[in-house]
Amino acid sequence: MYRPILASRRGELEALSHLDPASAALVAPVLEIGTRDRSVVDTLRRLPSGMMPAVDVSALPDTPEAELTRWGVPVVPVVGLAERDHRLVAHGAAARAYGRRALIRLRSAQDRAGPDASTTAVERIWRFTSLAPEECDLLLDAGDVCCPADVRAAEPRVRRLLDWARRHAWRSVTVAAGGMPPTLSRLPTDEAIRLERWDWQLWRRLADAGVGYGDYGVHPAVPGTGDATDRLPTVRYTDDGSWWIYRWARRGGRGDERFADLCRTLVSAPHWPSTGAAFSWGDHELLRRARRGAGAGSAANWAAWSTSHHLAYVLSTLVHPHANGGPRWHPGQGPPQRGRSLR
């Protein structure tokens, strides 16, 4: 299973909703809920059949609206080590209502207790939720890893946590990290800029541990960061061990023309997949813009198309590590590198 940690924004949720059934069966998203409103719940109901997302409501206040059993949609509760007793009880009720599963999220940068204290914390979780270890997935969240020094610091810390995790009979163990920089506004515009996927490199260094893979999609892991005020057309395009960042500021013509120029540059690049628009729903939409078949869209659309390609690329790498074709998406179903490299 691939566990992307995604914000519950329209773009990310739309990308998930366009996964075909075969791909959706391999994706177990962890959704961070910043606000509880009807639109979030309605979108959860429209996710592909069989996909049961894990939902993290730790950012919500302790109100009845944060109790997942009240949402009326099957989800897996995400449980932190420091949750209050009454929220643990509520998470346990949700887990028992929806298949007796929970995801325990241990953040390596915040949960710095030693192995004995961590065992005490998870035993408390099992006691208040009335769950057994084998009914819980463990997510070791390494957080932000945006440079070689971050990777070097994170690896031994994660390995110590994996040594501790082997004490218990988890349903599964996943390591996740986020490698996208907190901001892209300082990058050059009007050309493809290559950035290292340091989160992927961390997981590759842990390959001998046999753990599952998770990441933060195409967005940073640091809360409250990003380029919310940057309105330049932007596509974050995942490749083998890297992202290609397209930020287009070219003046002249309408906004639709500017984004079409971005997309034409992308689809003519060597990192455009050999299967083209069939690679993912996001690639299909980007090719339509390159051919001037639709408008430029919005920041939410750019996030959706970037995330869609990212999900497909990661699945392709995990399921077929030596293949370039990747998952196939069909309308109606729901190499050398070029550009500048910034390390």
Side-chain angles (χ1 to χ4, degrees):
M1 297 296 289
Y2 163 41
R3 295 188 188 277
I5 302 172
L6 304 174
S8 56
R9 294 181 292 249
R10 181 166 67 90
E12 286 85 340
L13 294 174
E14 187 175 8
L16 287 173
S17 70
H18 281 91
L19 285 171
D20 64 81
S23 298
L26 301 174
V27 178
V30 180
L31 300 179
E32 298 184 312
I33 307 297
T35 179
R36 197 283 200 193
D37 56 41
R38 182 178 297 275
S39 64
V40 171
V41 177
D42 289 344
T43 304
L44 290 176
R45 290 196 178 99
R46 293 196 297 271
L47 292 179
S49 176
M51 177 184 288
M52 188 182 294
V55 172
D56 190 334
V57 295
S58 59
L60 298 183
D62 284 330
T63 61
E65 287 72 24
E67 297 178 9
L68 296 173
T69 52
R70 296 172 177 263
W71 292 27
V73 57
V75 296
V76 176
V78 175
V79 186
L81 266 61
E83 303 277 13
R84 296 184 179 182
D85 294 352
H86 67 277
R87 181 163 277 190
L88 290 179
V89 172
H91 283 334
R96 294 191 298 277
Y98 302 127
R100 295 197 66 88
R101 288 179 52 196
L103 179 74
I104 296 181
R105 184 178 184 181
L106 194 161
R107 301 172 185 257
S108 64
Q110 300 175 19
D111 302 318
R112 292 295 189 92
D116 292 340
S118 296
T119 295
T120 299
V122 296
E123 287 177 344
R124 171 177 165 271
I125 290 172
W126 296 326
R127 184 170 67 254
F128 278 94
T129 59
S130 299
L131 296 173
E134 56 268 22
E135 294 172 317
C136 297
D137 300 286
L138 176 64
L139 176 64
L140 299 178
D141 184 355
D144 183 46
V145 287
C146 286
C147 66
D150 287 346
V151 174
R152 289 193 298 270
E155 182 183 359
R157 188 161 60 237
V158 172
R159 287 193 180 277
R160 287 193 294 270
L161 290 171
L162 290 173
D163 289 340
W164 163 80
R166 294 186 183 96
R167 297 183 180 185
H168 308 287
W170 302 101
R171 186 174 182 272
S172 72
V173 178
T174 299
V175 173
M180 184 65 69
T183 180
L184 303 178
S185 60
R186 296 183 179 89
L187 296 182
T189 60
D190 303 325
E191 59 181 307
I193 302 298
R194 183 179 183 273
L195 298 180
E196 296 284 348
R197 287 172 59 200
W198 299 111
D199 50 347
W200 177 249
Q201 292 196 21
L202 172 63
W203 187 76
R204 291 288 300 272
R205 292 172 68 143
L206 297 167
D208 61 291
V211 294
Y213 174 71
D215 60 25
Y216 279 78
V218 297
H219 287 89
V222 181
T225 62
D227 298 291
T229 61
D230 185 1
R231 294 305 173 192
L232 289 183
T234 302
V235 171
R236 307 163 189 233
Y237 203 74
T238 307
D239 193 22
D240 184 16
S242 64
W243 287 293
W244 292 94
I245 309 300
Y246 290 77
R247 298 177 67 247
W248 243 237
R250 290 178 179 168
R251 304 300 176 187
R254 301 182 307 164
D256 290 0
E257 279 298 320
R258 182 165 50 169
F259 193 72
D261 185 65
L262 183 159
C263 292
R264 285 194 296 271
T265 305
L266 170 58
V267 302
S268 63
H271 44 267
W272 178 253
S274 60
T275 53
F279 191 82
S280 73
W281 166 74
D283 289 285
H284 177 268
E285 294 301 309
L286 291 167
L287 184 60
R288 288 182 64 206
R289 273 76 191 171
R291 294 174 174 173
R292 299 186 181 89
S298 64
N301 295 131
W302 308 330
W305 303 331
S306 299
T307 300
S308 174
H309 171 80
H310 177 82
L311 297 176
Y313 196 94
V314 171
L315 284 176
S316 173
T317 307
L318 294 177
V319 178
H320 304 291
H322 303 297
N324 294 322
R328 300 295 187 268
W329 174 84
H330 300 283
Q333 256 191 334
Q337 299 173 330
R338 185 168 64 221
R340 290 180 56 190
S341 175
L342 296 185
R343 297 175 181 270

